[in-house]
Amino acid sequence: MRTSIATVSLSGSLTEKLTAASRAGFDGVEIFENDLLASPLTPEEIRARCADLGLSIDLYQPMRDIEAVPPEEFARNLRRAHHKFELMGRLGADTVLVCSSVSPLARDDDALAAAQLCQLADLAQGFGIRVAYEALAWGRHVNTYDHAWRIVEAAGHPALGTCLDSFHILARGSDPKDLEGIADIPGEKIFFLQLADAPLMAMDVLQWSRHYRCFPGQGGLDVTGLLRHVIAAGYQGPLSLEIFNDVFRQAEAGPTAIDAHRSLLVLQEAAGLAPLPAPVVPTGAAFVELVTVDAEPASALLGALGFARTARHRSKPVDLWQQGEARILVNLGPAARRHGTFLAAVGLESPDPAGAARRAEALLAPVLPRRRAPEDAPLDAVAAPDGTELFFVATVATVATVATVATNGMNRTNRAVAEVATGIANQPELPDWRADFVDVPHHDATPHGVTRIDHLALTQPWHEFDEAVLFHRGVLGLHAQECVDVADPYGLHRSRAVSNPDGSVRIALGVGAAPTDDGARAQHIALATDDVVATARAFRAAGGRLLTVPANYHDDLAAQYEFADGELETYRELGILYDRDAHGEFRHCYTDTVGRVFFELVQRDGGYRGYGARNAPVRLAAQHAVR
Ligand code: MG
Ligand code: MG
């Protein structure tokens, strides 16, 4: 379907907003009156600019406090409308949004409202304009979509229809059954559809709407369900985003517009309106790449953790460090100058790397050039919103595992995955990133029990948090857990984890104060071990430093849980933190930080699903104290 966005959803001047909307692929815009009033461009120039950018002006808004008022007041309103309709003619906009009145002058009189809206529509029709009447959730007398529709129906004017707004409808928390009436509205009388999501919050609905709206899929409202009803009604107009959000108002318009358009692509897929290349869910973490100007600190840390330098890139200064199935590349790259050591890339094992890249591209992810040197394996890679490069790689392990699933039958989904995998296994030229590496002799490290990468924790720029979650869900097909708030000595962290079904890919996306030397966004790599005590001891014996945890923390643990004799003393000694959920237990500790990066050692037992979020405030305070 055609896509549109209200100019109020983006930051900057009207020109910047229009450019960003066009570049992100929108077909049209809603011109928000304040943006027009603040623009030095004439309506004719705005119209021309939109035409140049390939944007239609789908709506002019808002017109407020029109209906159900005393006659003398309504006469003034018609004069105001006359002026706006002339302006819309110059702008080339053919639909105006009229919100249900919040005026103290408005009467609770549907017949009067219908009669006056009918007169307004008569005036509009003379200008070739249609009036879309929308129920604000806080409208004085009209605040539900069905009430607005009853008035429109009673008015019975061809130039009067209704505008449905997902926020106003869903924010009232009405029974899903109440939404079924939408499908009974004649499609051609739904003049416009505005889409917004919002996180579920207990607060005044006006404040909620003005500050916290977000793009569909980024909040907790069932926008997809609502869209299905509107489509069932026969609606043919554009899908238009109308987002009032404090963060988007400050963030750069270009990336926000892309995030916005991506949300509509994901929404249309979810509602069955426009298919995308199917999600290819990653099946494991193949590697993590650190880029640094000085490989020594990172190498020393990896060595103490029990990693061995097992291979070297044949043409670049990149070392492969490995322990169990955990692989970390240390890249002595020039890009690091700005950042110190940082996590630059993640290799995701994929049953169909090219398919994963196709979906990412369809969802507007920047596709990265396929590797730098001609002899390198051509890997499919895209950039996440925070700039982290995501490589989709097939490994022998992936292919073998999935092929086993194929031979075992399993359910239909697995069979489909297996067919892809078998197809891949039959392609002899399938690029293998490890073919770029030449083994080096290594005898210098004894493994310390690290088995694989448990999770990555990537701090996002504050204004990209919701976008990052939608990106990882929509592009990578990962499942998002609930959002968690974590207190930090210097602020509040928000964190939301995304993972694949078996937990072999877990990424904790966070936002908040950074406990790093240069204030840069912290990133950490959590390494799984079956015995965190043994691994931590071996790390320390090899010269590694563990983060010191205050005694008060372990005193409190003693109050909450019973431990075996000596267990808590061991945790105190090593700085091990503890958590428990309905499924199992979690023990974890932290190394010191190199550049932006630190490591966590984690032991999950009995199917524990979390990330030790309750311990994060203690960890963050301890990291700030080290600085
Ligand atoms: Mg609206
Ligand atoms: Mg962690």
Side-chain angles (χ1 to χ4, degrees):
M1 297 179 76
R2 296 184 66 260
T3 57
S4 189
I5 186 167
T7 53
V8 71
S9 315
L10 300 169
S11 70
S13 67
L14 182 57
T15 307
E16 288 168 326
K17 291 165 190 255
L18 296 175
T19 305
S22 167
R23 288 210 180 127
F26 282 94
D27 302 304
V29 288
E30 301 177 21
I31 299 282
F32 204 71
E33 189 166 78
N34 281 346
D35 286 320
L36 177 127
L37 299 183
S39 175
L41 302 180
T42 65
E44 289 80 4
E45 285 167 338
I46 295 170
R47 177 185 198 155
R49 182 66 60 96
C50 287
D52 287 347
L53 291 166
L55 295 168
S56 55
I57 298 179
D58 295 325
L59 191 78
Y60 183 77
Q61 71 135 322
M63 204 179 274
R64 300 184 188 280
D65 296 333
I66 291 285
E67 80 285 12
V69 288
E72 61 283 8
E73 181 67 18
F74 184 66
R76 275 193 290 275
N77 290 349
L78 277 185
R79 253 197 320 279
R80 181 156 59 96
H82 193 279
H83 179 84
K84 306 273 179 197
F85 294 158
E86 277 175 348
L87 168 76
M88 286 176 64
R90 297 170 62 196
L91 206 51
D94 67 359
T95 307
V96 67
L97 178 83
V98 172
C99 323
S100 63
S101 181
V102 297
S103 165
L105 296 174
R107 294 180 194 155
D108 186 8
D109 182 342
D110 286 2
L112 180 62
Q116 292 184 342
L117 285 171
C118 191
Q119 280 189 64
L120 180 77
D122 241 4
L123 177 67
Q125 197 172 31
F127 288 86
I129 286 170
R130 310 186 308 163
V131 175
Y133 181 57
E134 170 193 72
L136 295 179
W138 52 88
R140 189 168 176 86
H141 302 295
V142 177
N143 44 43
T144 61
Y145 83 86
D146 48 323
H147 193 176
W149 163 239
R150 283 199 303 275
I151 291 169
V152 167
E153 193 177 25
H157 194 289
L160 179 68
T162 188
C163 169
L164 299 176
D165 178 315
S166 67
F167 180 87
H168 290 300
I169 296 172
L170 298 171
R172 296 182 58 88
S174 44
D175 191 321
K177 279 229 160 293
D178 297 343
L179 302 183
E180 287 170 10
I182 292 172
D184 299 331
I185 304 175
E188 69 280 3
K189 293 303 273 183
I190 303 173
F191 280 3
F192 212 73
L193 173 62
Q194 293 176 315
L195 297 168
D197 200 343
L200 301 180
M201 304 169 103
M203 69 183 297
D204 169 67
V205 70
L206 176 64
Q207 293 304 320
W208 190 22
S209 172
R210 295 245 167 106
H211 302 281
Y212 295 98
R213 285 187 180 214
C214 56
F215 298 128
Q218 297 181 346
L221 303 178
D222 182 16
V223 182
T224 312
L226 179 109
L227 177 58
R228 286 206 188 93
H229 289 299
V230 179
I231 298 304
Y235 175 70
Q236 303 275 343
L239 306 179
S240 190
L241 295 168
E242 188 202 33
I243 313 295
F244 307 92
N245 180 295
D246 297 349
V247 173
F248 299 158
R249 278 181 200 273
Q250 295 172 65
E252 238 184 293
T256 305
I258 289 171
D259 181 28
H261 201 219
R262 180 181 298 131
S263 79
L264 283 185
L265 295 171
V266 173
L267 177 71
Q268 290 180 83
E269 179 190 46
L273 294 172
L276 292 167
V280 183
V281 182
T283 50
F287 64 81
V288 170
E289 181 175 358
L290 304 180
V291 174
T292 180
V293 268
D294 175 11
E296 184 42 40
S299 302
L301 190 50
L302 287 167
L305 282 164
F307 279 77
R309 194 170 69 95
T310 59
R312 177 151 249 260
H313 197 278
R314 46 200 163 93
S315 58
K316 283 176 286 191
V318 182
D319 286 331
L320 167 59
W321 291 76
Q322 183 155 2
Q323 182 175 191
E325 289 301 308
R327 294 171 212 92
I328 293 167
L329 305 181
V330 178
N331 183 346
L332 206 57
R337 250 174 230 125
R338 280 184 302 132
H339 302 281
T341 302
F342 71 108
L343 193 161
V346 179
L348 294 168
E349 290 187 3
S350 172
D352 178 7
R358 272 198 300 280
R359 178 172 176 87
E361 191 172 10
L363 284 170
L364 315 175
V367 175
L368 300 171
R370 291 178 131 212
R371 277 295 181 182
R372 285 83 46 162
E375 71 274 20
D376 292 347
L379 299 178
D380 293 291
V382 299
D386 67 352
T388 303
E389 299 181 359
L390 302 175
F391 286 89
F392 301 116
V393 302
T395 67
V396 177
T398 312
V399 173
T401 312
V402 188
T404 313
V405 175
T407 23
N408 292 348
M410 314 296 274
N411 61 36
R412 188 175 294 174
T413 316
N414 283 342
R415 218 174 290 141
V417 170
E419 275 163 27
V420 172
T422 311
I424 286 168
N426 293 336
Q427 294 170 23
E429 76 282 12
L430 182 77
D432 180 353
W433 67 275
R434 283 178 303 191
D436 294 337
F437 286 82
V438 181
D439 287 350
V440 294
H442 56 277
H443 44 76
D444 47 341
T446 38
H448 294 166
V450 167
T451 54
R452 58 185 193 85
I453 292 168
D454 181 87
H455 66 270
L456 304 173
L458 305 177
T459 308
Q460 305 295 308
W462 62 275
H463 55 278
E464 286 173 9
F465 180 71
D466 289 333
E467 175 184 3
V469 174
L470 180 66
F471 179 94
H472 286 82
R473 277 182 47 223
V475 172
L476 304 180
L478 299 175
H479 171 75
Q481 293 185 349
E482 290 303 299
C483 205
V484 189
D485 286 335
V486 173
D488 173 273
Y490 302 99
L492 192 70
H493 275 251
R494 260 195 312 160
S495 173
R496 197 162 179 195
V498 293
S499 65
N500 69 353
D502 70 2
S504 58
V505 175
R506 301 179 206 251
I507 302 174
L509 301 164
V511 69
T516 59
D517 290 337
D518 58 357
R521 290 177 285 113
Q523 302 161 316
H524 80 254
I525 302 168
L527 302 167
T529 165
D530 295 332
D531 184 347
V532 73
V533 170
T535 304
R537 279 200 200 287
F539 171 66
R540 192 179 263 186
R545 279 201 311 272
L546 290 161
L547 186 70
T548 307
V549 174
N552 293 342
Y553 170 80
H554 289 104
D555 291 345
D556 182 62
L557 265 193
Q560 292 193 53
Y561 303 109
E562 279 185 45
F563 293 99
D565 280 351
E567 196 181 347
L568 199 56
E569 284 60 43
T570 305
Y571 297 168
R572 278 186 204 276
E573 179 203 334
L574 296 168
I576 291 175
L577 305 158
Y578 177 87
D579 190 25
R580 191 184 280 187
D581 68 9
H583 310 281
E585 293 175 294
F586 192 61
R587 295 169 176 85
H588 55 141
C589 59
Y590 296 87
T591 70
D592 48 9
T593 304
V594 172
R596 288 168 61 179
V597 181
F598 61 92
F599 291 86
E600 178 182 10
L601 296 169
V602 314
Q603 178 183 342
R604 289 178 188 272
D605 289 303
Y608 174 88
R609 290 184 188 175
Y611 298 80
R614 67 177 290 273
N615 297 325
V618 173
R619 185 258 294 174
L620 287 160
Q623 287 176 320
H624 282 295
V626 170
R627 285 168 62 205

